Amino acid sequence: MEPLLAIAFGVILAASAYLILSRNVLRMVLGLILLGNAANLSIFLSGRLVGPTPPIVAAGIDALVAGAANPLPQALILTAIVIGFAFVSFVLVLVHRAYGALGTLDTEAMREAEPAHEPPQPTPVTSPAPRKEAA
């Protein structure tokens, strides 16, 4: 099962990289969502897949029983899901505002909204007026 999930992680990561490199901002947001899911899957895989025993410590025992699921990756994934949802919500609000202001989701067309930064023109060097010599 772990090799199958590792292949799924690679496919999701490749799809997210493809979408993030797109010129469309909405595709970039979808790529960020996939990247967050790939990160969650990698955390899940780092905890190793074990038997169906829940991570509950029984009374009078100091540690988990052998074959119990590791609770740390599960807690990290829950935290990452909440943070990822907040991040995606914020980015979608920014995309909506950019679309309302600029009327496009194409990144190249959005560059037109930036002020043009032209390099400073060199000032011409004038030589001092020749001196008239007194005769």
Side-chain angles (χ1 to χ4, degrees), residues 24-25 92-106 110:
N24 189 330
V25 177
L92 284 177
V93 168
L94 287 179
V95 168
H96 184 267
R97 176 71 176 110
Y99 180 73
L102 302 173
T104 184
L105 291 177
D106 186 27
M110 287 181 173

Side-chain angles (χ1 to χ4, degrees), residues 46-121:
S46 71
R48 290 172 304 193
L49 300 176
V50 292
T53 307
I56 299 173
V57 178
I61 301 176
D62 294 337
L64 291 173
V65 296
N70 189 355
L72 183 62
Q74 296 173 13
L76 289 175
I77 290 172
L78 285 175
T79 305
I81 288 171
V82 172
I83 292 171
F85 179 73
F87 177 70
V88 168
S89 300
F90 178 71
V91 169
L92 284 177
V93 168
L94 287 179
V95 168
H96 184 267
R97 176 71 176 110
Y99 180 73
L102 302 173
T104 184
L105 291 177
D106 186 27
T107 55
E108 292 298 321
M110 287 181 173
R111 287 181 159 240
E112 295 175 5
E114 296 176 3
H117 293 288
E118 296 180 14
Q121 299 296 326

Side-chain angles (χ1 to χ4, degrees), residues 2-16:
E2 285 182 4
L4 182 64
L5 287 175
I7 291 171
F9 167 73
V11 169
I12 292 172
L13 194 63
S16 69

